[in-house]
Amino acid sequence: MYAGSNGDKLPDAGPGTYITFKELVKGDLGLPGQSSAQDKIFACPADTFCFDENINAYIPHGHHEQADYDYSSYSFNGLNLITNYPNLAYNGPLHGVGGQGLASVKMPVKTVLVAESAAFFPYSWHQPAQGQVPAVNNALDLVSFADSHVSYIKMYWNSTVQYPNGAWSLAAYYDPPDSYDYKWSGN
């Protein structure tokens, strides 16, 4: 709906669009005013815990309960709008569809548009693997695609992809092998 009202362009509100997309689309859903935890259309019932990167541990609060995530369980596939990410020189540009024309997405049936925030790491609110590193290969998450269908799919995470500082990468930083039912890049 957003692209239809904006000249076929997907959300682009700068580097934080993967979270702030809600501000751009909520008017199309009849949600005026400030975001709040009462915006139930943006709350996944399984979003009861999340991984906090600042303390490197799971916490018993969902994304949709936190202002830092704009009270939403979901993130937009707009990491490509982050151009000053410290590891870009090592890993190349981040994938995503932020600011692209919807018609320019090459494989809309496989291209992620919006997903549960846990999918970006990936871990699963539906089949939690607490006590592990937040990223889990084949974590199950709900994903919506550029062609407008929604699926509950396995997310790929490659534990061998690390940065020179030893940090592991998010699953959304690279496309999965062809055997997976999705991709992050729009090309």
Side-chain angles (χ1 to χ4, degrees):
M1 288 180 3
Y2 178 86
S5 301
N6 291 283
D8 187 53
K9 294 289 183 198
L10 293 168
D12 179 357
T17 303
Y18 66 99
I19 293 174
T20 61
F21 82 100
K22 180 181 171 185
E23 288 302 311
L24 300 174
V25 304
K26 71 181 190 175
D28 291 326
L29 302 171
L31 293 174
Q34 294 290 336
S35 292
S36 78
Q38 304 310 310
D39 298 342
K40 297 298 182 192
I41 194 164
F42 289 96
C44 173
D47 178 12
T48 59
F49 67 94
C50 67
F51 186 79
D52 185 327
E53 296 173 43
N54 298 317
I55 62 172
N56 202 34
Y58 288 100
I59 60 171
H61 305 288
H63 281 210
H64 72 279
E65 299 172 298
Q66 301 176 53
D68 288 351
Y69 296 99
D70 199 22
Y71 302 104
S72 179
S73 299
Y74 308 100
S75 294
F76 173 68
N77 182 16
L79 294 179
N80 63 307
L81 299 171
I82 301 172
T83 58
N84 63 344
Y85 189 74
N87 291 316
L88 285 178
Y90 174 72
N91 199 42
L94 297 175
H95 291 306
V97 295
Q100 289 183 336
L102 186 57
S104 74
V105 174
K106 299 280 190 260
M107 295 181 66
V109 71
K110 284 188 85 166
T111 304
V112 174
L113 190 60
V114 175
E116 291 176 324
S117 296
F120 285 69
F121 284 90
Y123 61 92
S124 177
W125 294 321
H126 308 279
Q127 292 184 327
Q130 299 237 11
Q132 296 182 12
V133 175
V136 178
N137 191 39
N138 293 325
L140 293 169
D141 290 293
L142 191 63
V143 175
S144 69
F145 293 87
D147 74 343
S148 75
H149 85 277
V150 177
S151 291
Y152 186 57
I153 63 170
K154 291 179 180 179
M155 306 305 295
Y156 176 74
W157 180 62
N158 184 344
S159 64
T160 66
V161 176
Q162 292 188 339
Y163 294 108
N165 66 2
W168 49 269
S169 68
L170 294 180
Y173 289 176
Y174 45 83
D175 279 334
D178 290 338
S179 59
Y180 282 77
D181 295 331
Y182 74 97
K183 63 186 207 136
W184 297 103
S185 61
N187 53 12

